[in-house]
Structures are given as C-alpha cells and as structure tokens.
Amino acid sequence: MALVSGLVALVPAIASIRRALGRSFRSRCCFDAGAAILFFGALAQQPALQSDAYQAIQELAALGYRIPSAEAPLRVFPALTDTEFSGRHAGAWRPGSIYLRDRTQTDFPARAYLRHELFHEASYRSCNRRLPEWAEEMAAMRFSGELAGREQEPQPNTTELEDLISHIRQNSPLNQRDRDVLGRLALHYPWPAEICQVPETLSRLLGAPFAAAGSGYVLANLISGRILETGGDIATPMPPGSLLKIPYAAALNQANPQVLADELAASDTGQLLLRRAAFRPERYRLLLSPIKQQSLTQQAPVTERDWRAYLGERGGDGGFALEASLPELVLTLRAALLSQPDYFKGLVRNGANPNSTLVGINSADKRTFRELKALTKTGTVSSSDGQPLIGHLMLAWPAEHPVYLAVFRQSGSSGAAIAAKAAGVLRDWQRRFPPRYAAVRVHLLSATDPASWQADSDCPELETGSARFNLCGTFYVTSTARGSRSERQVSGILQQSAAGSAKVLETDADSYADAVMAAEAQQLKGEAREALRAVIVWNGSRGGHRHPESRSLCDTTHCMVFLGEDVRGPSRGGHTTDPKLLGLLDELAANRDWLPFANGGAQHWQRQIPIAELQRLFAEAHILEIRRERRKDGALYVRLVYADNDETVSCEIFRNTLKLPSCPDSIQAADNQSWLFQGIGAGHGEGLSIETASELAEAGRSAEQILRDAYAK
Ligand SMILES: [Zn+2]
Ligand SMILES: [Zn+2]
C-alpha cells in the first residue's frame, strides 16, 4: 500500500486525470471522503451507510490509524454471491476492497459489519502485519460495536479455548466458533491504547502460528533407523507439508519410477493426484504408523481436499490432521524409501530438472548435494497468503544404495530456503560419516539351527523381495537353541538367503560395533575402546568376503562375536566412530582385508568343572562326551554327546556358558567326576591385543598410537 504522506504532492495530478476521465466525485466536509471511500452498485444509493463509514474512518484517524485517502481509496462493493462469507459474517475484506452482503440482520446491523471491515483496512494500512490474525479480529470486533449487549456472556471454557488455540497454532482460517470465543475474550481483556498492540496476557494465552517450531535436524542411519546426530528442536510435532508425498508415492502399487521421481522433485500435486487409482490407503496408513499425532488416515479420502491433505496440504477445516516430530518423520520416510527404493532414485535430479523445487538454490550447495548423490525432497507449510511458516528438507544418500537419511526443519522458511544451511551441515557430515563405513551385513546365529530361532517385532512389518523390515527398525530374536542367549535385539533389515537357511541382518556399523564391544571387550575404556571400535567398524563394514556365499560376516569368534544389542541396555544411539581412525586403518591395512584382534595375553589357564555342574549348565541329565571340532572355514565348535542324542555349539557360546577366559585348546575328562579345560591367554596373539591396548591407553597413548602399535608392520 502506498505511503499517504509521500503522495500528497501527486494529488492535483491525480485529480486532473480523474477530471479528464470525466468521473465526478462528491465532496464532503472536512476531507475528501468521497474520494477516499468509493461505493459501488446499490450501495451508492445508501447515504446513511456512507455517512456511518465516514464517521468510522474519522474515528480511526483520531486513534492514530492510517485511513483511506483520495490517492489510495477504499472500494466498497455489494457482494454478488455468498461464497466469500462464512457463518454470519456479513462483510469480507481484501486490501483496498470491502464486499458487503446486501442484507440486514437486526442483531448485527450493516453499520457494525461495515465498521468491522473498515477496521481491517485501517489495520492493514497501519500495522504492517504486526497483529496476528486473531488479534486483528478481536480489535475489529471491539471497534465495530458488534459486541454491544454481550457483556454478560460467560468466559470461554477449556474446550472452547483449546479448540481456538489449536486453530491459531496451525494458522487455520478462523471459523465462526473461533470468532464467538474471541468476542467473549475481547469483552474481558483490557485493550492497549496504542494502536497495533495486543494485550500481553492474551498473546501468552493464545500463542502464534507454529510458535513452538524452532529449527532442528536429525541424521539417521537409513538401514537401522539409528539416530546418529540431532540439532535444535526435533521433538515438537509439526505438519511436514509435501514430505508426505514420499509415503504417498511409496503407497502406489505401480508407477513409472522415472516419471514419478520427476513429479516428486517438482512436488507436482496435480500430477501425483492423477495417480490415485494406484494408491493403496492401507499401505499409506502403515507407513504413517510411527506418527502419533494424526487423524489423517482415520477415514479414507473422499473429496479433493481429503486427497490433497494426504499429500500434505491443509484439510477441509483449514488445519492439519497430521503433525510429526522429526524422529517420527525419519521412521516414516525410512520405511517409504526402503519399501519402494526404485521410485525415489530419480530424486537425485532435484535441482537439475528445470521445474524441480531446488532448481533455484545456490550452485555451490547444489554441488554438495550432487557430490553426495543425495535424493532430496522439500516440504513447505504456508499461511493462506503464501508466507512460508515451516520448511522441511529431506535428504537420503548415496542414491544407488542410500545408507543415510537426514531431515531438516526450519520455521519461517520454505523447504528450498533451508538448502543453504543444510549444505553447510552436509559438508561436515561428508567428512564425518563416510557411506562406505555405514552398514554391516552379519549372518545371525550362524552356528545355530535356523529352525531353533525366530525374529519378531512389535510394530508393523514390510517385505520387499527377500528383505524384511519394520516401522521401528528393531527386531527381537528369540532362540530355543541350547547355550545361546534366549532373547536378543537387533536393528535393521533381515534378508533371507535364496536357500532359506542363512538369515542375514543388514545393520548400521555403530550398532554393530556397540554389540561386538559388549561381547568381546566390555571392560575396555577410553582411547583403547575408541581404537578397537574403529577396528570393529572397519572389519564389519568391509568383511563380506569372510562368507562370500551370503556376502556377510558370521557372528562367532571366526569373525567377531555379535550377540545383538542388549535388550535391557541403554537406548540406541549416541556413540559414533571417529572417521579419522578409519582412514588410518585403510592406510595401515595395506593389502590386508581383515584386521585381527584378540584378548591377548600368554597366560596358561585351566579349569576343572564337575560333571554335575556341566549337566546343570546344559540342562542335560547325562553328558557322555565333550569334543573340540574345527571346521573348514576355521571356526571352532564343541560337540556335546548326551545319552540319546548330541549337539554342536560354537566354541564362543560354549566358553561363554562355562565362563572360560577363551576357547579352550584342550578338553579332557579329568576323572569320572569332572572335565578339565585348558587354554592360553584369550586368543591367537595376532593384530591388536586388547590387553596391550588397555595398557597403552593407561600410559597415555592415543587411539591412533594404539592402532599404529598393533598394525604398522
Ligand atoms: Zn474480521
Ligand atoms: Zn565366519
């Protein structure tokens, strides 16, 4: 809107143009009111209404508001249809124009609703959008006189207030009930004398759109769902906007992946809606199941509005039926990406395609996304007048087999506008989270009969080909095999081999390292722990050559002992491995494809265990024979012969059951009453010795020095 003062000099010129155009203007007393407010149609014949309007703007001017002028007039039209109005609202306003319903209500006279809309115009000209919508509405009610006679009405109750607060928070258009509640509140709160101000107490009570939304981000491992790093506010649930197009697309039972990915990169709601015949609502509901605060999928979509809400737009009431925290969004997006990986590969073209949402971002940031080979998708929630309220940006990389998933969120920003900030963080992650050390494939219970154990989860599961995963990331493995831990917890994707025997878990390297540390070197601390952890990640992430048929590691001493994560232990997440140490190991390994480590020590040990104790530990009435067995791949097993059958357990499980320091080198019947087990130290004496590492750390050596000591040969 033009500045009134700056235009004073132009008045004669405009007046002469008007004369030239042959239009006539009535003049009023004190100022050129006839030119300031122009009445059209039937309203031009209502002098009483016009006089009310002139009085109202003089009152507004006296209060300090900028009012319409001949240079920047206000136009008042009779409304031809009712579509502009909600409830008993009899006027509608847009900057510079008022539309009045040609109708009078005794309880709400035309004079009041004209004053109401005039207030909106004056506020627009004076307050520079400083007033939130609810506050301007209350101020308009106070000014119009429409609250007269309502002074005895009760204060709103809790439910009414909560409804109003939720509409304000989501920036939904105010409905008639909201207006009613605002009217009653306006009667009970003193209003500041200064214009464009809101009572402080009311501001605190009612809040502002998405006021709680700060900025935040989450980096997770896409395979396991483990959260690797977070920043800012990740907990507050917020509507994710067009990020919902990812689960929507994943719920399509057929699509041309190239075309679909381009529609997603362009965030093309219209094209995506044309695919609704291929949409599976039950799959969409399943993908959204980690998100607690949602009523979106309670009913199948019927109207166009319902469908648009499924793609992240506002629903029929102008609000959002789904709000997600960032960790919830991560789980939903992870499941969507894992369930239809081909649909999303083309998102790597976001920023390159001319109509994609990231096409306008800085070219250095684009280069960062391209170097990572990141799949990207934006999501923006805007106000009714197009102001961005919350932006989201999702990234998953590298495109050919994504192992990382990040979601950024920022208030007052569009999704694309977050790209600059996200690219800065990504340049750091590029260094700290190398994708080639992100995932581990491990053959679960590799020495145990596959029929003796199973994996379950307590959240919805999905299958794609031979892969099985679930919406929370974690499986519970229960085993009836003797000597094995009866319950364990693993995270990631379970793959069934074609032969049906091997069950391979693909998990993240840090969860794997936590579990191996717990099984192999629980007591190790400080720099020695950092050093061994790096060795475990290095071996684990590139150890598929150990068992080429399943491209995986086994979970016994032959590779590294992996008994899963501790069910009762601290929650997942937290520690990550230092990438500098991984780089050092690349260098130290030279041609080696495996870096051995062992408990070390050269101490001879022996244990004599009574038969009765052995029979109790293995829950067998008779143990007739115990024998060591070495298999072709080098793995050690122990065969136990009972009265009517026998069984073979991995040496690792055997020694854990008996709490022996290492796998015994010799097993002998000592007498009729006991067995004698003998061994040396705790391993093969090659590579990193856990005992030596511990001593070096105590002597003040760094993890780097410990690794050099172990492998620089
Ligand atoms: Zn209003
Ligand atoms: Zn093995």
Side-chain angles (χ1 to χ4, degrees), residues 89 116 120 137:
H89 232 202
H116 181 117
H120 282 309
E137 192 55 26

